[in-house]
Every structure is written in structure tokens, then in C-alpha cells.
Amino acid sequence: MRLMSKKIKIMFLCTGNSCRSQIAEGIAKHLGGNRVEIYSAGLEAHGLNPRAIKVMDEIGVGISKHTSDEIDQKLLNTMDYAITLCGDAEDRCPLTPPSVTKMHWPFDDPAQAVGTEAEIMEQFRLIRDAIAKRIEVFFNELQI
């Protein structure tokens, strides 16, 4: 049984740590406050996507100071949960000790959206909102 005083440590993982994992990190920090310790990382570091920053600003969650980071194996091994947000990360995520619960929440990559700027931004918003709903459900399950 987890002690209530211990912060739950979660790392969100995707391929480039530029969109989905950054959005998830921002939302989880916003919703979890000081009850959680949240990280994000990628198999590679592609830099922060400007559209991800923009859609997060729309909901009052700033991520512009986040950094795009590659997975730190030592840090990953200290997590309570490692959550992959794309198939590539799920397939290629480093092995973790049994103490880390691995979960997979697949979301389409909004950076792959095509169309007008308005259509692309709508895809970013849809993914942002879907990630937020999934985190809300998860935090409710954990009673955070």
C-alpha cells in the first residue's frame, strides 16, 4: 500500500518528446499539483512543438519552459508509472524494473496532421483534450 505522503512519480513517453508527452506532462502537473512528480521524455529529443505550446496556453497551462529530453534510464527506473503515448515508444521503451508500472495510452500524433493551419490546430486541440480526459480518469482511479 502506497503511503499518502509519498508523491506518485509518473513519466510520459513518446518518440520525440515534442507534443504528446509534453502536453501530458503539463496537464498532469496542472491537475496533480504537489501530489505528483511528473516527467516526460522521448526516444529522441525533437524540441518543443510551437503548436503544442500554443494549445496549452489556450487552457492556461504553460509548457514553453519545458525541455525536450531523451529518456534517462536511471530516472525512469525510479518512477511509479511509465506511460507511453505512441506505438513507437511502447515498442522501443527501455526495460524497467518490476516496481515501475508500464501503461500504454495510444494517441495520434498531432504533428502529423495536414491541412490548413486551423485544421492542424484543431487536431492539436483534440489530442490535448483527449489526453486531459485520460489523465483525469487515471488520477481519479489513483485518488489523486
Side-chain angles (χ1 to χ4, degrees):
M1 181 153 169
R2 180 175 279 123
L3 295 173
M4 293 309 289
S5 61
K6 180 185 178 286
K7 288 185 180 185
I8 295 173
K9 295 173 73 173
I10 302 168
M11 184 178 287
F12 293 100
L13 302 164
C14 64
T15 304
N17 192 220
S18 66
C19 289
R20 291 165 287 186
S21 55
Q22 293 286 347
I23 288 169
E25 178 184 353
I27 290 169
K29 284 179 175 176
H30 179 73
L31 294 176
N34 63 4
R35 298 175 306 278
V36 293
E37 202 172 309
I38 306 294
Y39 301 88
S40 71
L43 301 168
E44 304 150 9
H46 291 173
L48 214 49
N49 186 298
R51 290 180 178 122
I53 295 168
K54 190 173 179 182
V55 298
M56 293 300 286
D57 283 346
E58 290 175 357
I59 62 167
V61 179
I63 64 169
S64 64
K65 302 281 191 258
H66 287 194
T67 58
S68 180
D69 302 309
E70 290 184 16
I71 297 168
D72 175 331
Q73 185 68 50
K74 286 182 182 174
L75 181 61
L76 178 62
N77 289 346
T78 69
M79 295 295 115
D80 295 304
Y81 297 92
I83 302 172
T84 53
L85 303 174
C86 68
D88 190 38
E90 180 187 31
D91 294 343
R92 295 173 49 205
C93 184
L95 293 174
T96 55
S99 59
V100 179
T101 301
K102 288 175 86 170
M103 303 176 85
H104 180 57
W105 302 349
F107 291 99
D108 291 336
D109 185 355
Q112 301 298 318
V114 294
T116 66
E117 184 61 21
E119 291 167 338
I120 293 169
M121 287 302 292
E122 186 55 29
Q123 287 304 305
F124 271 81
R125 290 182 191 102
L126 288 171
I127 297 301
R128 174 201 65 202
D129 295 348
I131 290 171
K133 283 186 180 87
R134 184 64 188 92
I135 291 171
E136 287 174 8
V137 168
F138 184 56
F139 281 8
N140 284 337
E141 290 168 355
L142 295 178
Q143 299 180 330
I144 292 177

Short mmCIF file of all heavy atoms in Angstrom, two decimals, residues 73-80 82 94-102:
data_model
loop_
_atom_site.label_atom_id
_atom_site.label_comp_id
_atom_site.label_asym_id
_atom_site.label_seq_id
_atom_site.Cartn_x
_atom_site.Cartn_y
_atom_site.Cartn_z
N GLN A 73 17.51 6.61 -18.23
CA GLN A 73 17.19 5.29 -17.70
C GLN A 73 17.16 5.27 -16.18
O GLN A 73 16.28 4.66 -15.57
CB GLN A 73 18.18 4.25 -18.22
CG GLN A 73 17.83 2.83 -17.82
CD GLN A 73 16.58 2.28 -18.48
OE1 GLN A 73 16.44 2.38 -19.68
NE2 GLN A 73 15.66 1.72 -17.69
N LYS A 74 18.11 5.94 -15.54
CA LYS A 74 18.15 5.95 -14.07
C LYS A 74 16.89 6.60 -13.50
O LYS A 74 16.31 6.11 -12.54
CB LYS A 74 19.40 6.66 -13.56
CG LYS A 74 20.66 5.84 -13.74
CD LYS A 74 21.86 6.56 -13.18
CE LYS A 74 23.11 5.73 -13.42
NZ LYS A 74 24.32 6.43 -13.03
N LEU A 75 16.48 7.74 -14.10
CA LEU A 75 15.27 8.42 -13.64
C LEU A 75 14.04 7.56 -13.92
O LEU A 75 13.17 7.42 -13.06
CB LEU A 75 15.14 9.79 -14.33
CG LEU A 75 13.94 10.64 -13.93
CD1 LEU A 75 13.97 10.97 -12.44
CD2 LEU A 75 13.91 11.92 -14.75
N LEU A 76 13.97 6.97 -15.11
CA LEU A 76 12.85 6.10 -15.47
C LEU A 76 12.68 4.98 -14.45
O LEU A 76 11.57 4.64 -14.06
CB LEU A 76 13.06 5.53 -16.88
CG LEU A 76 11.99 4.57 -17.40
CD1 LEU A 76 10.63 5.25 -17.50
CD2 LEU A 76 12.41 4.01 -18.75
N ASN A 77 13.79 4.42 -13.99
CA ASN A 77 13.74 3.30 -13.04
C ASN A 77 13.19 3.70 -11.67
O ASN A 77 12.85 2.84 -10.87
CB ASN A 77 15.13 2.69 -12.88
CG ASN A 77 15.57 1.93 -14.10
OD1 ASN A 77 14.77 1.63 -15.00
ND2 ASN A 77 16.85 1.62 -14.17
N THR A 78 13.09 5.00 -11.38
CA THR A 78 12.57 5.47 -10.09
C THR A 78 11.07 5.80 -10.15
O THR A 78 10.49 6.16 -9.14
CB THR A 78 13.32 6.72 -9.59
OG1 THR A 78 13.00 7.83 -10.45
CG2 THR A 78 14.82 6.49 -9.56
N MET A 79 10.46 5.68 -11.32
CA MET A 79 9.06 6.05 -11.49
C MET A 79 8.12 5.02 -10.88
O MET A 79 8.47 3.85 -10.73
CB MET A 79 8.71 6.19 -12.99
CG MET A 79 9.41 7.31 -13.73
SD MET A 79 8.95 8.94 -13.13
CE MET A 79 10.54 9.46 -12.48
N ASP A 80 6.92 5.46 -10.53
CA ASP A 80 5.85 4.54 -10.17
C ASP A 80 5.15 4.07 -11.45
O ASP A 80 4.74 2.92 -11.55
CB ASP A 80 4.83 5.23 -9.25
CG ASP A 80 5.43 5.60 -7.91
OD1 ASP A 80 5.96 4.70 -7.23
OD2 ASP A 80 5.40 6.80 -7.56
N ALA A 82 5.28 4.44 -15.90
CA ALA A 82 5.85 4.88 -17.18
C ALA A 82 4.73 4.69 -18.20
O ALA A 82 4.25 3.57 -18.42
CB ALA A 82 7.06 4.04 -17.56
N PRO A 94 12.68 1.49 -23.04
CA PRO A 94 13.65 0.66 -22.32
C PRO A 94 12.97 -0.20 -21.27
O PRO A 94 11.89 0.13 -20.77
CB PRO A 94 14.57 1.69 -21.65
CG PRO A 94 14.33 2.97 -22.35
CD PRO A 94 12.94 2.92 -22.89
N LEU A 95 13.60 -1.30 -20.94
CA LEU A 95 13.10 -2.16 -19.88
C LEU A 95 13.13 -1.41 -18.56
O LEU A 95 14.01 -0.58 -18.32
CB LEU A 95 13.95 -3.42 -19.77
CG LEU A 95 13.89 -4.37 -20.96
CD1 LEU A 95 14.89 -5.51 -20.78
CD2 LEU A 95 12.48 -4.92 -21.13
N THR A 96 12.16 -1.71 -17.72
CA THR A 96 12.09 -1.07 -16.41
C THR A 96 12.01 -2.17 -15.35
O THR A 96 11.59 -3.29 -15.65
CB THR A 96 10.85 -0.17 -16.29
OG1 THR A 96 9.68 -0.94 -16.59
CG2 THR A 96 10.93 1.02 -17.22
N PRO A 97 12.39 -1.84 -14.12
CA PRO A 97 12.26 -2.83 -13.05
C PRO A 97 10.78 -3.11 -12.76
O PRO A 97 9.92 -2.30 -13.13
CB PRO A 97 12.96 -2.17 -11.86
CG PRO A 97 13.01 -0.72 -12.17
CD PRO A 97 12.96 -0.58 -13.66
N PRO A 98 10.49 -4.22 -12.09
CA PRO A 98 9.09 -4.56 -11.79
C PRO A 98 8.37 -3.50 -10.95
O PRO A 98 7.15 -3.46 -10.94
CB PRO A 98 9.20 -5.88 -11.00
CG PRO A 98 10.55 -6.41 -11.33
CD PRO A 98 11.42 -5.25 -11.67
N SER A 99 9.12 -2.65 -10.27
CA SER A 99 8.50 -1.62 -9.44
C SER A 99 7.84 -0.51 -10.26
O SER A 99 7.05 0.27 -9.74
CB SER A 99 9.55 -1.00 -8.51
OG SER A 99 10.59 -0.42 -9.28
N VAL A 100 8.16 -0.45 -11.57
CA VAL A 100 7.58 0.57 -12.46
C VAL A 100 6.42 -0.06 -13.23
O VAL A 100 6.60 -1.03 -13.96
CB VAL A 100 8.63 1.11 -13.46
CG1 VAL A 100 8.00 2.15 -14.38
CG2 VAL A 100 9.83 1.70 -12.72
N THR A 101 5.24 0.50 -13.04
CA THR A 101 4.07 0.02 -13.77
C THR A 101 4.05 0.68 -15.13
O THR A 101 4.00 1.91 -15.23
CB THR A 101 2.77 0.36 -13.00
OG1 THR A 101 2.82 -0.25 -11.71
CG2 THR A 101 1.54 -0.11 -13.76
N LYS A 102 4.10 -0.14 -16.19
CA LYS A 102 4.07 0.40 -17.55
C LYS A 102 2.64 0.37 -18.06
O LYS A 102 1.92 -0.61 -17.89
CB LYS A 102 4.99 -0.41 -18.47
CG LYS A 102 6.47 -0.17 -18.18
CD LYS A 102 7.36 -1.06 -19.01
CE LYS A 102 7.63 -0.45 -20.35
NZ LYS A 102 8.68 -1.18 -21.10
#
